[in-house]
C-alpha cells in the first residue's frame, strides 16, 4: 500500500475511535438524564462515575476482542458493519445483565431498563448514521486515492470462478480485472463473448499484460508442477 493509503488508514482508525467514544458517552448521558429526569436531581457520585468507567471499558474491550479498529478491517466496509454490531450486541448484553443484578427492587429495575433502552437507542441511531457516512467516505477516498488493488487470476476453472466472485463482491478493496487462461493458440479459440468479458490474455502473456495494465496481484489456481505455462511464467517473473 502506498504512503497516502497508510496515512488514510491511520487517520480513519483514530477518527473512528474518537467518533465511537463520543457516541458511547452521549448514549450514556442521555440514559442517565432520562433516568433522573423525574426527580430533577442528577447525582454525580462515585457509583455513577464507576458505571461510566465500566461502560467505556467494556466498549474498548469488546472492540479490541472483535477487531473493530484493526487495520485489516478498515478497507472493507462490510467488516466494519459486522464488527460494529457484534461489539454493540456484546456491550448491550453485559450492561443489561449488570442493570438486572444491580437493581434492588422492581421499581429501580424498571427505571434502569428504561434508561438502558434510551442509551442504546441513541447509540444505535448514531452508529447507523456514522457507518452510512463512513461508507460513502471510504468509497470516495478509495476511488480518488486509487487504493483498490487490481487483481487477476490464472486459470478459468471452478475454483478460479469462485475466487473471482469473491474479489468482485469485495469491490471496496479490490478491482477484479479477469482471468488468464490457455496458451496463445487455445486463447484465440475461446468464445468471443467470454473472452471480451472476463478472459484477459493467455497465461504466457500475463506478466507483460499485468505490467502494462497496472495489475497489482495475480492469483493462480493452477499448480506450477502441473502446468508448464505457469512454471514458465514464474521463471519469467523471477
Amino acid at each position: 500500500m502506498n504512503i497516502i493509503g497508510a496515512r488514510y488508514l491511520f487517520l480513519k482508525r483514530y477518527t473512528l475511535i474518537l467518533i465511537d467514544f463520543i457516541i458511547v458517552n452521549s448514549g450514556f448521558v442521555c440514559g442517565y438524564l432520562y433516568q433522573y429526569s423525574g426527580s430533577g436531581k442528577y447525582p454525580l457520585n462515585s457509583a455513577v462515575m464507576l458505571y461510566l468507567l465500566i461502560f467505556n471499558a467494556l466498549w474498548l474491550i469488546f472492540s479490541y476482542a472483535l477487531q473493530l479498529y484493526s487495520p485489516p478491517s478498515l478497507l472493507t466496509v462490510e467488516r466494519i458493519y459486522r464488527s460494529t454490531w457484534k461489539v454493540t450486541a456484546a456491550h448491550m448484553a453485559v450492561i443489561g445483565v449488570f442493570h438486572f443484578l444491580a437493581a434492588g427492587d422492581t421499581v429501580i429495575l424498571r427505571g434502569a431498563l428504561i434508561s438502558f433502552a434510551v442509551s442504546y437507542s441513541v447509540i444505535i441511531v448514531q452508529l447507523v448514521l456514522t457507518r452510512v457516512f463512513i461508507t460513502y467516505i471510504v468509497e470516495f477516498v478509495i476511488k480518488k486515492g486509487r487504493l483498490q488493488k487490481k487483481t487477476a487470476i490464472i486459470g478459468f476453472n471452478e475454483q478460479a470462478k469462485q475466487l473471482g466472485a469473491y474479489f468482485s463482491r469485495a469491490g471496496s478493496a479490490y478491482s477484479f480485472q479477469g482471468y488468464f487462461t490457455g496458451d496463445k493458440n487455445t486463447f484465440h479459440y475461446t468464445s468471443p463473448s467470454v473472452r471480451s468479458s472476463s478472459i484477459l490474455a493467455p497465461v504466457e502473456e500475463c506478466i507483460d499484460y499485468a505490467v502494462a495494465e497496472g495489475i497489482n496481484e495475480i492469483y493462480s489456481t493452477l499448480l506450477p508442477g502441473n502446468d508448464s505455462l505457469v512454471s514458465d511464467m514464474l521463471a519469467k517473473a523471477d
Side-chain angles (χ1 to χ4, degrees), residues 196-207:
S196 62
S197 62
S198 57
I199 306 299
L200 303 175
V203 173
E204 56 202 285
E205 296 179 3
C206 73
I207 298 297

Side-chain angles (χ1 to χ4, degrees), residues 3-81:
I3 295 176
I4 295 176
R7 288 177 178 174
Y8 161 70
L9 289 179
F10 177 85
L11 178 61
K12 180 182 176 184
R13 181 184 189 187
Y14 289 99
T15 300
L16 195 62
I17 291 173
L18 177 61
I19 289 173
D20 287 354
F21 175 78
I22 295 172
I23 289 173
V24 169
N25 283 278
S26 66
F28 175 89
V29 170
C30 289
Y32 167 79
L33 293 176
Y34 186 87
Q35 184 172 4
Y36 293 99
S37 60
S39 63
K41 299 179 180 180
Y42 302 96
L44 285 176
N45 52 37
S46 58
V48 173
M49 299 310 294
L50 177 60
Y51 178 46
L52 176 61
L53 178 63
I54 293 172
F55 204 80
N56 281 274
L58 285 173
W59 182 270
L60 291 176
I61 291 170
F62 288 126
S63 297
Y64 177 79
L66 298 171
Q67 300 182 330
L68 175 56
Y69 308 119
S70 64
S73 300
L74 297 180
L75 271 181
T76 308
V77 175
E78 291 80 3
R79 289 184 181 180
I80 296 177
Y81 281 134

Side-chain angles (χ1 to χ4, degrees), residues 111-130:
L113 291 178
I114 294 175
S115 171
F116 172 87
V118 171
S119 292
Y120 283 101
S121 295
V122 172
I123 290 173
I124 290 173
V125 168
Q126 291 184 93
L127 286 175
V128 170
L129 292 176
T130 56

